[in-house]
């Protein structure tokens, strides 16, 4: 083989390797691409990364099908957040909780995960619980069986695709507790318990940080499950003082899984 022939072979081989790499990259992008025809956002590569080995739902034999609180004889409380709204506020709240050594539970709305899929990883990477708050945050207790099932399973599917798990908890949307039908559908989807709460912060009414803090501190006690929301600036502002006062009372904010374990 002449020098000219060897150069031609090398050029041909390099072209085949480059072409193969390009084809493999296009194939991987196609496999991970979202079902929507919209142009992927800059965060898409992070959002479609390999799913985490996220915790699956657990059955707690001593707990009822609908859980409103944990054991009253342990100095722990669970701050639970309805996952929806401005992602910047969600990140700020998670960061503030972690700065105080607290862990929380986030019940995510499916459409919110569709818009901000990277937040599923952010929540789990912070050591927090992540669960299902239905796909569209509609009044699930008033729906037909087929529609209610779809709301639960659609959000579960998004969680599974993003994290490898359907999430550790299910909470019905627009209701403090699930109807018997919704509770049955949640069990069928893989959630042994429905997560309710015994303290409603009413932060979604935007009463201001002092009012949020007063409402919670007036009602919270060992084992409490507190309902809060992402997407409200007053909640973020209230969190540092709330956590400081809980610590002063000897109450540590943990995930719901830790609360019940």
């Amino acid at each position: 083989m002449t020098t000219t022939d060897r150069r031609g072979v090398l050029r041909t081989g390099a072209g085949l390797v480059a072409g193969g790499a390009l084809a493999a990259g296009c194939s991987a992008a196609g496999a991970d691409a979202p079902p929507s025809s919209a142009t992927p956002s800059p965060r898409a590569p992070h959002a479609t990364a390999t799913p985490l080995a996220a915790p699956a739902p657990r059955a707690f034999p001593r707990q009822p099908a609908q859980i409103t609180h944990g054991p009253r004889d342990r100095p722990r409380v669970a701050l639970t957040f309805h996952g929806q709204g401005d992602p910047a506020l969600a990140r700020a709240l998670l960061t503030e909780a972690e700065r105080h050594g607290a862990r929380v539970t986030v019940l995510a709305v499916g459409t919110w995960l569709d818009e901000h899929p990277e937040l599923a990883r952010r929540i789990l990477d912070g050591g927090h619980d992540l669960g299902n708050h239905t796909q569209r945050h509609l009044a699930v207790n008033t729906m037909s069986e087929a529609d209610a099932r779809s709301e639960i399973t659609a959000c579960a599917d998004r969680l599974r695709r993003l994290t490898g798990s359907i999430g550790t908890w299910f909470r019905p949307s627009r209701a403090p507790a699930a109807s018997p039908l919704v509770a049955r559908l949640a069990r069928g989807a893989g959630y042994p318990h429905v997560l309710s709460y015994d303290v409603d912060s009413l932060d979604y009414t935007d009463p201001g940080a002092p009012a949020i803090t007063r409402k919670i501190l007036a009602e919270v006690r060992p084992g409490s499950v507190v309902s809060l929301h992402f997407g409200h600036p007053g909640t973020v502002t209230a969190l540092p003082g709330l956590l400081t006062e809980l610590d002063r009372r000897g109450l540590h904010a943990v995930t719901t899984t830790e609360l019940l374990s």
Side-chain angles (χ1 to χ4, degrees):
M1 181 181 293
T2 67
T3 301
T4 302
D5 292 336
R6 282 196 298 272
R7 288 173 179 168
V9 170
L10 290 172
R11 282 196 297 269
T12 302
L16 290 171
V17 170
L22 179 60
C26 291
S27 174
D32 286 339
S36 170
S37 60
T39 302
S41 67
R43 64 174 174 265
H46 181 69
T48 56
T50 302
L52 298 166
R58 283 178 54 186
F60 292 88
R62 297 182 181 180
Q63 294 295 330
Q66 297 209 52
I67 295 171
T68 57
H69 63 82
R72 297 297 192 186
D73 58 350
R74 300 177 192 168
R76 300 175 175 179
V77 297
L79 304 182
T80 66
F81 291 84
H82 301 233
Q84 199 174 25
D86 184 350
L89 292 176
R91 293 188 191 95
L93 195 148
L94 293 170
T95 299
E96 190 62 39
E98 292 155 12
R99 191 172 71 83
H100 283 261
R103 296 295 178 265
V104 304
T105 300
V106 180
L107 294 313
V109 176
T111 53
W112 187 69
L113 292 174
D114 288 341
E115 295 171 0
H116 312 290
E118 74 284 356
L119 285 176
R121 183 176 294 273
R122 170 65 184 88
I123 291 163
L124 292 173
D125 283 350
H128 311 287
D129 273 0
L130 178 62
N132 178 334
H133 196 38
T134 75
Q135 177 60 16
R136 296 176 293 165
H137 201 256
L138 303 177
V140 68
N141 283 347
T142 67
M143 292 180 172
S144 69
E145 181 170 349
D147 288 345
R149 179 184 290 110
S150 178
E151 282 293 305
I152 297 167
T153 58
C155 186
D157 289 344
R158 269 119 181 117
L159 287 164
R160 183 186 292 110
R161 186 169 65 244
L162 290 170
T163 72
S165 164
I166 62 172
T168 48
W169 300 100
F170 168 76
R171 173 173 286 170
S173 48
R174 301 199 180 265
S179 67
L181 170 62
V182 169
R184 175 170 62 80
L185 293 174
R187 286 194 301 274
Y191 301 97
H193 303 279
V194 171
L195 181 58
S196 185
Y197 47 86
D198 64 328
V199 178
D200 189 349
S201 69
L202 299 179
D203 62 339
Y204 60 89
T205 65
D206 295 316
I212 294 169
T213 304
R214 282 195 305 270
K215 178 74 163 61
I216 295 171
L217 293 176
E219 300 176 19
V220 72
R221 55 191 177 122
S224 282
V225 177
V226 183
S227 172
L228 293 137
H229 294 74
F230 282 173
H232 296 268
T235 305
V236 180
T237 304
L239 190 62
L242 172 63
L243 291 172
T244 297
E245 179 59 22
L246 289 175
D247 285 342
R248 193 189 69 78
R249 296 184 183 187
L251 296 174
H252 187 52
V254 299
T255 66
T256 306
T257 300
E258 292 173 305
L259 182 75
L260 300 172
S261 296

